[in-house]
């Protein structure tokens, strides 16, 4: 299990960009899949980007495809620390939510249900004004 720490949220005007960071600390060898979720107040979480960390394959729902990009960077040679980014462009007020990264062992990174993830960040709030 790894510890996940997010940063990068904030307020931006419509059409603007933000980059969220998810720093993973710990035994990252089991972190085969990192997925970004967002949650509107009173609603269930929805996934917005998934990254299979071993293959580099990324996947997005139609609602953010072409605007969001997920990427990773291993920042320690012993794989005890890495970071996954979520670059969000052309933001709209509908993107305002709390964004959370989650990590799990699913190698194919095709599972979107919360049970597939054993590590969660604390969440970072994104507010897009019109």
């Amino acid at each position: 299990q790894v510890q996940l720490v997010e940063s990068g949220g904030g307020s931006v005007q419509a059409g603007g960009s933000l980059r969220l960071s998810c720093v993973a600390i710990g035994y990252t060898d089991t972190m085969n899949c990192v997925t970004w979720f967002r949650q509107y107040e009173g609603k269930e979480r929805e996934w917005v980007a998934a990254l299979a960390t071993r293959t580099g394959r990324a996947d997005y729902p139609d609602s953010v495809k072409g605007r969001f990009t997920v990427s990773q960077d291993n920042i320690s040679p012993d794989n005890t620390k890495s970071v996954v980014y979520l670059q969000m462009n052309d933001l709209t007020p509908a993107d305002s939510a709390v964004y959370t990264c989650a990590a799990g062992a699913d190698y194919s990174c095709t599972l979107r249900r919360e049970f597939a993830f054993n590590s969660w960040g604390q969440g970072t709030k994104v507010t897009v004004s019109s």
Side-chain angles (χ1 to χ4, degrees):
Q1 191 167 344
V2 297
Q3 179 186 4
L4 303 178
V5 181
E6 298 127 342
S7 62
S11 298
V12 65
Q13 289 193 324
S17 299
L18 281 174
R19 189 177 79 161
L20 307 183
S21 298
C22 174
V23 177
I25 302 170
Y27 191 57
T28 62
D29 282 359
T30 60
M31 195 178 76
N32 296 325
C33 175
V34 176
T35 296
W36 283 94
F37 291 83
R38 67 185 177 190
Q39 187 171 25
Y40 303 109
E41 190 171 346
K43 303 289 187 180
E44 291 188 356
R45 283 193 183 107
E46 64 179 36
W47 74 285
V48 295
L51 178 67
T53 61
R54 307 306 170 196
T55 65
R57 187 180 67 86
D59 196 14
Y60 310 91
D62 288 343
S63 58
V64 306
K65 195 171 291 183
R67 300 188 300 122
F68 288 14
T69 303
V70 62
S71 62
Q72 65 175 343
D73 187 17
N74 293 326
I75 55 179
S76 71
D78 60 358
N79 291 327
T80 58
K81 192 173 184 181
S82 64
V83 58
V84 173
Y85 300 104
L86 182 66
Q87 178 68 42
M88 306 186 295
N89 298 328
D90 194 21
L91 288 163
T92 74
D95 296 314
S96 297
V98 174
Y99 287 73
T100 305
C101 62
D106 175 27
Y107 187 89
S108 66
C109 203
T110 56
L111 298 175
R112 308 292 183 226
R113 302 293 296 275
E114 294 187 13
F115 70 80
F117 303 91
N118 52 23
S119 296
W120 292 82
Q122 80 283 4
T124 186
K125 188 173 183 180
V126 171
T127 302
V128 184
S129 58
S130 58

